[in-house]
């Protein structure tokens, strides 16, 4: 149980989230290499992914050690290759996840702070994606938007 009185992990919440979110939630933000295809670059290897990529994995945006909170603000339904990218580039992955959650109205900062013990929006300030890495440089404008719009700088 956490401060919000709910269990940390909840299979019913994950299932309901998966059922209500079709396809990969983050692929739309990745660079395009053709009309309806995006590419995901992981450690120098480019993976071409259709825009309609099937969501195959429930991903937690934030975790503390092995603790993963099953809350709408912390869950993403994403494809396997995007999931691998999020783990290969955790700072960029979290920045993109926060941008998306705010954009679609699923972010709950108060509950995030209650569960995590820190402000994810505050965390953004000290965690800018590496602008010299071609796999994540395109995430920097999303980071800048978060800093500007949410006043976290």
């Amino acid at each position: 149980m956490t401060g919000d009185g709910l269990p940390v992990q909840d299979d019913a919440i994950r299932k309901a989230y998966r059922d209500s979110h079709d396809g990969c939630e983050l692929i739309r933000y990745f660079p395009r290499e053709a009309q309806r295809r995006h590419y995901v670059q992981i450690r120098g290897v480019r993976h071409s992914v259709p825009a309609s990529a099937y969501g195959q994995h429930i991903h937690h945006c934030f975790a503390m050690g092995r603790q993963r909170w099953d809350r709408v603000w912390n869950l993403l339904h994403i494809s396997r290759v995007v999931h691998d990218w999020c783990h290969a580039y955790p700072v960029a992955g979290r920045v993109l996840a926060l941008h998306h959650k705010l954009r679609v109205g699923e972010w709950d900062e108060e509950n995030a702070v209650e569960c995590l013990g820190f402000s994810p929006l505050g965390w953004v300030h000290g965690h800018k994606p590496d602008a010299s890495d071609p796999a994540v440089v395109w995430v920097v404008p999303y980071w800048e938007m978060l800093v500007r719009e949410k006043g976290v700088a």
Side-chain angles (χ1 to χ4, degrees), residues 91 120-129 143 147 152-153:
V91 169
L121 288 175
W123 172 92
V124 167
H125 172 66
H127 295 84
K128 184 176 182 179
W143 178 85
V147 169
V152 297

Side-chain angles (χ1 to χ4, degrees), residues 73-125:
W73 60 262
N74 199 36
L75 297 175
L76 288 168
H77 194 205
I78 57 179
S79 69
R80 171 57 55 195
V81 70
V82 171
H83 181 252
D84 292 346
W85 179 87
C86 286
H87 281 282
Y89 306 100
V91 169
R94 287 186 183 115
V95 166
L96 198 58
L98 275 171
H99 171 77
H100 175 71
K101 288 297 188 174
L102 286 162
R103 183 174 176 260
V104 299
E106 292 182 345
W107 186 250
D108 184 342
E109 177 73 0
E110 186 177 321
N111 189 248
V113 170
E114 192 174 359
C115 291
L116 298 169
F118 68 90
S119 166
L121 288 175
W123 172 92
V124 167
H125 172 66

Side-chain angles (χ1 to χ4, degrees), residues 7 34 59 62 98 108 138:
H59 179 70
F62 287 89
L98 275 171
D108 184 342
W138 58 270

